[in-house]
Amino acid sequence: MRTVRICQYQAKLELNTPLTLDEDGFGHLIRVLRFNKDDEFVVFDGLGHEYEAVLTEAGKNATYVCTKEIVRNVESPVFVELGQVISRGDKMEFTIQKAVELGIGEITPLYSSRCGVKLDEKRQQKKVEQWQKIAIAACEQCGRNVVPKVNDITDISKWYDAAPDALSITLDPKADTRLSALEIPSKLRLLIGPEGGLSEEEIDKAAQSGFKGVTLGPRILRTETAALAALSILGCTYGDL
């Protein structure tokens, strides 16, 4: 029987203290899985704290008690911030979900000149909240207890220079260096462009900001494939895959 894992995002979890499930946790455990009083599950706060827990009430409100702390580290030894230009439809959701499974440390959605998605301020906030929930759900499924943060949508020109001390890389099919041949520090930034690719101006600006072009091989990958292929290579070569 599989272990049911529920994230109570950034909640203050304590042993032997009655706590109340949030709306998402209630919906999943009570409405979907039909959990009852005394049923057991695992709860985590998305910050690395994780506990065995038991339901103490399963009515209109659901309460639980943490009974035993679980101490483990399942985070990748390589912290990667993914700067992903927003893709259309459900491709962005797919990329975020799978990037979390592959061990991504942080995600920054980006606008670029060829980005096919434009949102007003209100819709931007809702999208970020939606993407954060996708990251949380992916952690529940894959066994992570640290939830990667999904940052606010940022213009690519501002993101270039946000972390000048980090190793920053972008995919370039014309580059001579393979991703697997780099000397990777414990933290890096990975830039993935949109379906139409980065403009020449954006490529030049990336180089001026210290981004190093690397290749994944002779074929051109779709934006959602490129991100996951790069993270898989990083995880296999330098991480824990």
Side-chain angles (χ1 to χ4, degrees):
M1 182 177 176
R2 75 182 183 92
T3 300
V4 174
R5 304 179 73 251
I6 293 293
C7 180
Q8 296 295 279
Y9 191 50
Q10 298 183 346
K12 185 178 181 181
L13 302 179
E14 296 179 293
L15 284 170
N16 305 314
T17 301
L19 301 166
T20 301
L21 284 172
D22 64 18
E23 184 177 349
D24 290 332
F26 181 92
H28 187 60
L29 275 187
I30 308 303
R31 294 198 184 99
V32 177
L33 298 180
R34 303 294 184 183
F35 266 45
N36 295 305
K37 182 180 177 181
D38 298 328
D39 285 343
E40 298 177 343
F41 60 101
V42 170
V43 62
F44 63 102
D45 63 2
L47 305 174
H49 306 110
E50 187 172 17
Y51 295 86
E52 294 179 5
V54 60
L55 271 180
T56 53
E57 183 182 345
K60 291 184 178 180
N61 293 314
T63 59
Y64 65 98
V65 169
C66 297
T67 57
K68 181 181 178 181
E69 186 174 9
I70 302 170
V71 180
R72 64 193 184 98
N73 178 15
V74 292
E75 292 305 295
S76 172
V78 180
F79 185 96
V80 182
E81 179 188 356
L82 173 63
Q84 174 72 55
V85 176
I86 303 170
S87 46
R88 294 187 183 94
D90 60 359
K91 294 177 184 176
M92 189 69 178
E93 297 180 5
F94 177 84
T95 299
I96 290 172
Q97 181 189 66
K98 301 310 175 187
V100 170
E101 293 177 21
L102 290 169
I104 196 70
E106 187 176 352
I107 300 165
T108 302
L110 300 174
Y111 281 140
S112 73
S113 62
R114 294 176 181 170
C115 176
V117 178
K118 295 297 180 184
L119 305 168
D120 59 34
E121 186 174 345
K122 185 175 180 180
R123 291 179 64 203
Q124 285 185 42
Q125 187 59 40
K126 287 186 175 180
K127 270 295 183 184
V128 171
E129 291 173 359
Q130 178 184 348
W131 292 331
Q132 187 67 73
K133 286 186 176 183
I134 288 170
I136 290 170
C139 287
E140 290 176 336
Q141 181 274 325
C142 74
R144 292 182 65 177
N145 51 29
V146 176
V147 175
K149 182 182 179 183
V150 179
N151 295 316
D152 291 338
I153 300 172
T154 304
D155 188 87
I156 193 171
S157 62
K158 296 181 180 179
W159 188 74
Y160 281 140
D161 300 318
D165 297 331
L167 174 61
S168 301
I169 58 177
T170 187
L171 303 184
D172 180 359
K174 299 177 182 179
D176 297 324
T177 304
R178 286 186 174 272
L179 178 56
S180 57
L182 285 178
E183 290 187 13
I184 298 293
S186 59
K187 183 174 183 178
L188 62 89
R189 306 166 84 219
L190 171 65
L191 169 62
I192 302 294
E195 285 98 334
L198 299 174
S199 68
E200 289 298 324
E201 181 180 351
E202 289 165 343
I203 293 172
D204 291 343
K205 180 64 167 65
Q208 294 168 13
S209 299
F211 277 76
K212 182 175 181 60
V214 295
T215 180
L216 299 182
R219 290 170 293 282
I220 304 297
L221 303 181
R222 297 173 66 92
T223 181
E224 67 272 22
T225 309
L228 304 182
L231 291 173
S232 296
I233 292 171
L234 289 168
C236 289
T237 308
Y238 311 102
D240 55 2
L241 296 183

